[in-house]
Amino acid sequence: MLSESVVRDVLSAVLKNGGDFAEVFFERKYENRFELKDGKVERATSGEIVGVGIRGFLGTKAVYAYTNDLSRDNLLNVAKKVGEALEETKIEDLTFNFNRTKRKERHVVIVPPDRVEKTEKVAVMKRAYQAAKDYSSLIKQVVVWYWDYDQEILVANSEGVWAEDRRVRTRLMINAVAEKDGVLERGFYGPGAGMGFEFFERIDVEEAARKAARIAARMVEAEPAPAGKMTVVIANGFGGVIFHEAVGHGLEATSVAKGASVFAGKLGQKVAAECVSAVDDATIPNGWGSANVDDEGTPTQRTLLIDKGILVGYLVDRLGARRMGMKSTGSGRRQDYTFPPTSRMSNTFILPGDYHPEEIISATEYGLYAKTMGGGSVNPATGEFNFAVSEAYLIEKGRITKPVRGATLIGKGHEIIQKIDMVGNDLARDQGMCGSFSGSIPADVGQPTIRVKEIVVGGRNR
């Protein structure tokens, strides 16, 4: 960590050369990444990054610079350049009174990554590999990735913030490929959490691997999916990726403040069906996207975004707060010190409703059951999306019948959330990586089972 005297001098150097706000972000992160393919470790990388980001504001103008040379002279030189780039205001009479409020640790880590031998981590990967491989003779290839990191941060600013945090995250990812008659299908599952190696006492490693293998094995024997407008039931968990991508990004200050979101200026207005409520919650203990404070030193919180169809909140970072005249919601996040923070989601999900999932299926005469969602693309400005369904089944006369493959869901996020007419009581969250202006960050997506009464399905059969 940086000493308090160095931090004071850096903040002073920004403000004495220009700007009305200064911030220092220090980061030290050690991570391990392994890849196991065909039962053998193909790649293994471990390393540490250490660096500092220095940011200055002048009104709503922002300048950011970063360095991995932590010498006092270099940090002061970088800070001076940040201030000079902002120009105009030069504050000479500076006094910083840092508020070092002791926080409650919500994300207890029992077994930090550095206390576990690499051979133990590889042993977990081999268990996953074998379980996926043994699932079916159709499984032709299995790749397993392991990732953990231990990150310490310090954020201090000219408004008296002095916040330190530690984030430990661990994740296992399994990719299985099935082949039949020249057709290849892929299944993926990647559970993770904001905890240490004890994560593998909380999950069933073999079952996680079999889930990836099951998707691949079932889909390779499936018929092509039908196409056209139809009712779609989207299963709980990773189905929330559509809300995350097509709605959640449109609620971030980064786009709202610029008016580049379909949700800009709509606080208090009805934007979704009455059965839809949604939150972003970075306080979930040991959540994949959780933290005690955000990357601007603001305590994280649970932010209600949509309440019974009414838009009631945005995700706001410190710069967004200036631009929008609102308070920060503790949503400033970044990949690492080389990125300035921007407003980002953490653990974002639709809240549970009243229906059992079986009731939703039985109430559907004909449609598609999207059990597992895959990747897709979204236009954040318009909310237009196109998502592949990794595992899908037909619903006929209120029953799930045969598997179908190759389905895609096409629509606009703000229109689809108006068409949700049933919300289940089986909320689940899954883990992913979210990419945006401030890099790639861990984020949970989630929802209960939901039914969209009409959505365009891309497929092959009519």
Side-chain angles (χ1 to χ4, degrees):
M1 292 290 180
L2 301 176
S3 69
E4 183 171 324
S5 64
V6 169
V7 170
R8 287 179 183 276
D9 290 346
V10 169
L11 296 176
S12 296
V14 174
L15 298 183
K16 286 181 177 178
N17 288 282
D20 57 22
F21 170 84
E23 176 191 81
V24 175
F25 175 84
F26 167 87
E27 174 188 30
R28 182 190 304 278
K29 181 164 76 174
Y30 189 86
E31 69 174 0
N32 295 289
R33 292 177 182 268
F34 307 133
E35 178 182 302
L36 187 143
K37 187 175 181 181
D38 296 329
K40 299 177 181 178
V41 177
E42 289 278 325
R43 296 180 185 175
T45 59
S46 300
E48 182 180 63
I49 64 167
V50 182
V52 168
I54 299 172
R55 186 168 64 157
F57 292 166
L58 179 62
T60 57
K61 180 180 178 182
V63 172
Y64 186 76
Y66 63 90
T67 179
N68 60 6
D69 179 351
L70 306 191
S71 66
R72 183 177 183 281
D73 287 346
N74 179 63
L75 291 176
L76 293 181
N77 184 47
V78 174
K80 180 173 179 290
K81 291 179 178 177
V82 170
E84 289 174 344
L86 290 166
E87 298 179 336
E88 298 184 13
T89 303
K90 295 184 180 181
I91 304 173
E92 297 294 340
D93 185 15
L94 296 170
T95 301
F96 301 120
N97 296 309
F98 293 121
N99 179 12
R100 297 173 182 254
T101 304
K102 190 173 180 59
R103 60 174 170 75
K104 180 182 179 182
E105 177 57 73
R106 295 196 194 96
H107 317 292
V108 176
V109 174
I110 299 173
V111 187
D114 63 353
R115 284 171 44 189
V116 182
E117 296 292 334
K118 292 179 180 177
T119 53
E120 292 183 68
K121 298 172 183 178
V122 172
V124 169
M125 299 171 71
K126 288 186 174 179
R127 285 169 52 197
Y129 170 83
Q130 201 59 52
K133 191 71 177 169
D134 291 346
Y135 181 81
S136 167
S137 60
L138 296 172
I139 302 299
K140 302 303 180 185
Q141 184 185 71
V142 177
V143 181
V144 181
W145 294 275
Y146 174 97
W147 181 32
D148 65 32
Y149 71 73
D150 190 341
Q151 178 197 41
E152 293 178 287
I153 69 156
L154 160 67
V155 186
N157 69 34
S158 55
E159 295 180 354
V161 168
W162 184 285
E164 298 177 25
D165 199 12
R166 180 187 184 191
R167 293 86 175 257
V168 175
R169 305 191 202 278
T170 301
R171 193 179 187 199
L172 185 72
M173 294 161 280
I174 306 105
N175 187 76
V177 177
E179 187 274 334
K180 184 177 182 181
D181 300 331
V183 175
L184 298 174
E185 287 291 333
R186 168 182 175 267
F188 175 84
Y189 186 49
M195 60 177 65
F197 200 69
E198 70 272 19
F199 174 60
F200 297 106
E201 297 177 359
R202 311 285 178 86
I203 68 164
D204 185 330
V205 171
E206 284 76 12
E207 184 55 32
R210 284 192 286 268
K211 181 174 180 176
R214 182 203 70 211
I215 296 170
R218 289 190 181 175
M219 290 301 101
V220 80
E221 295 187 299
E223 298 177 5
K229 292 182 179 179
M230 66 183 73
T231 300
V232 175
V233 176
I234 305 175
N236 63 350
F238 203 71
V241 70
I242 294 179
F243 183 86
H244 173 103
E245 297 289 357
V247 179
H249 281 299
L251 300 177
E252 294 169 339
T254 308
S255 55
V256 175
K258 299 174 183 174
S261 165
V262 293
F263 298 106
K266 292 189 176 178
L267 277 180
Q269 297 182 27
K270 187 174 184 298
V271 297
E274 188 174 346
C275 58
V276 176
S277 296
V279 301
D280 180 89
D281 189 353
T283 70
I284 296 171
N286 299 104
W288 177 241
S290 296
N292 292 299
V293 295
D294 70 358
D295 290 332
E296 298 177 322
T298 305
T300 54
Q301 66 181 53
R302 179 183 173 95
T303 302
L304 183 60
L305 301 170
I306 297 173
D307 183 23
K308 296 178 182 176
I310 305 298
L311 180 63
V312 295
Y314 295 122
L315 297 172
V316 185
D317 62 322
R318 188 173 289 275
L319 183 58
R322 285 190 170 211
R323 290 172 171 166
M324 297 166 65
M326 301 178 72
K327 288 185 177 180
S328 167
T329 55
S331 303
R333 301 188 69 194
R334 65 181 106 196
Q335 177 177 318
D336 55 43
Y337 74 93
T338 65
F339 292 85
T342 57
S343 55
R344 302 292 295 273
M345 288 173 274
S346 59
N347 308 304
T348 310
F349 46 93
I350 295 174
L351 293 174
D354 298 326
Y355 294 97
H356 292 284
E358 297 80 8
E359 290 181 275
I360 297 175
I361 297 297
S362 64
T364 304
E365 178 65 18
Y366 179 82
L368 186 79
Y369 178 51
K371 182 173 178 59
T372 307
M373 294 302 302
S377 61
V378 174
N379 182 334
T382 63
E384 293 174 304
F385 67 81
N386 184 325
F387 277 94
V389 184
S390 298
E391 183 181 11
Y393 300 84
L394 278 186
I395 302 173
E396 298 172 294
K397 296 180 179 178
R399 294 178 58 248
I400 295 174
T401 56
K402 57 189 176 184
V404 292
R405 69 170 185 263
T408 56
L409 304 185
I410 302 164
K412 295 180 179 179
H414 61 285
E415 293 178 355
I416 294 303
I417 57 175
Q418 297 273 9
K419 295 179 179 178
I420 296 173
D421 63 353
M422 299 182 81
V423 178
N425 56 10
D426 57 338
L427 172 64
R429 293 180 286 113
D430 280 315
Q431 293 69 56
M433 295 300 294
C434 174
S436 189
F437 300 109
S438 59
S440 179
I441 58 173
D444 262 10
V445 300
Q447 64 174 42
T449 299
I450 63 171
R451 188 175 81 167
V452 183
K453 58 187 176 185
E454 184 180 89
I455 186 170
V456 175
V457 176
R460 299 177 190 172
N461 289 340
R462 289 186 179 276

